[in-house]
Amino acid sequence: MTKPIFRHDIPKAKLWTPLDRDAVLRKIEAAGRTCYASEPGSSIDEAAEFVRRLVRKGHESVLEHESASFLVTCSRACSHQLVRHRLCAYSQESQRFVRHGEDKPLEFYVPPAMEADQRELLEEICNIAALNYWLALPVGRPPQEARMLLPNATVTRLMVTANLRQWRHMIRQRTSPQADAEIRELFWAIGEEFQRVLPEIFGEEER
């Protein structure tokens, strides 16, 4: 049995799609100008300003012409919330077929803000769950049976793809003060990455 790993450094989001700012702006500009039967600007600065105006006016349907993928690492509790956004494509690490053991230890998320006594209790519960998981995995038995013993704190990984309009919608919803702390942290990270590569579209989202 391998000792489980307790992680405080998640959630994490890695932008997987190589977004070319100029190409994205040109595509969205072309979509927007199709709506208004206007000619494209002669420079990328004109395209950027046109896209900013579309976003400010709420003409966000044109953003659906471009998509982006993120590789997300979070707890199962967080992923259960994430997959409720149906206008996305998801590929999630399988608990049916991935067998945790010596080469792949179980990982559990422990919220950094959790009180010390609660953190100790959570780690104790996760240690017990890990032990029972490994006891339920005799040679030849499928992990889909043992997975029933794992808590929502178990770390998972997903590839998430959505169009830019949907990403903006999710960022607005999931960075709300009413959102759960873990998914809020996840979407702040996603929003900051978008701000870095596409400030014309995501620049008004401030932490």
Side-chain angles (χ1 to χ4, degrees):
M1 182 182 109
T2 304
K3 187 176 180 180
I5 297 172
F6 293 100
R7 298 190 58 177
H8 309 274
D9 62 334
I10 59 172
K12 288 184 175 182
K14 177 183 179 181
L15 179 61
W16 198 260
T17 307
L19 293 174
D20 182 316
R21 169 185 171 269
D22 291 2
V24 171
L25 293 177
R26 285 296 192 188
K27 181 192 285 188
I28 294 171
E29 179 197 23
R33 291 193 183 279
T34 298
C35 297
Y36 299 108
S38 61
E39 294 299 317
S42 59
S43 70
I44 191 61
D45 289 339
E46 289 178 272
E49 181 54 34
F50 182 77
V51 171
R52 286 193 198 96
R53 288 202 304 270
L54 291 176
V55 172
R56 285 197 296 265
K57 288 166 62 176
H59 188 169
E60 295 191 2
S61 63
V62 293
L63 303 181
E64 296 175 13
H65 293 288
E66 190 65 56
S67 63
S69 300
F70 278 85
L71 182 61
V72 171
T73 304
C74 62
S75 72
R76 278 266 167 179
C78 184
S79 75
H80 293 335
Q81 298 177 75
L82 181 55
V83 298
R84 290 175 183 163
H85 294 281
R86 298 314 311 153
L87 298 181
C88 301
Y90 300 99
S91 296
Q92 185 168 9
E93 180 181 338
S94 173
Q95 286 187 328
R96 287 190 64 202
F97 302 111
V98 176
R99 186 185 185 93
H100 293 276
E102 295 296 330
D103 297 329
K104 186 174 177 54
L106 281 165
E107 297 177 90
F108 299 105
Y109 171 60
V110 179
M114 184 174 277
E115 297 291 336
D117 56 342
Q118 293 177 314
R119 185 164 57 249
E120 290 176 6
L121 178 60
L122 176 59
E123 291 184 4
E124 180 181 348
I125 291 170
C126 289
N127 275 317
I128 294 171
L131 175 61
N132 287 330
Y133 173 86
W134 283 312
L135 290 175
L137 273 180
V139 176
R141 299 301 297 173
Q144 66 183 16
E145 298 174 3
R147 66 177 172 160
M148 303 298 288
L149 301 168
L150 297 177
N152 274 339
T154 306
V155 172
T156 188
R157 292 162 185 83
L158 310 86
M159 183 69 79
V160 185
T161 302
N163 66 57
L164 299 188
R165 184 184 195 180
Q166 178 65 12
W167 280 119
R168 279 176 52 85
H169 169 72
M170 292 191 293
I171 290 168
R172 283 194 297 265
Q173 279 202 325
R174 295 303 188 172
T175 57
S176 162
Q178 285 73 44
D180 173 74
E182 184 185 359
I183 201 166
R184 189 166 63 243
E185 196 66 27
L186 173 64
F187 275 93
W188 277 126
I190 291 171
E192 288 169 358
E193 185 63 15
F194 271 130
Q195 285 179 26
R196 185 182 67 81
V197 294
L198 292 172
E200 293 81 7
I201 298 172
F202 293 88
E204 85 286 1
E205 308 290 347
E206 297 180 358
R207 186 161 190 167

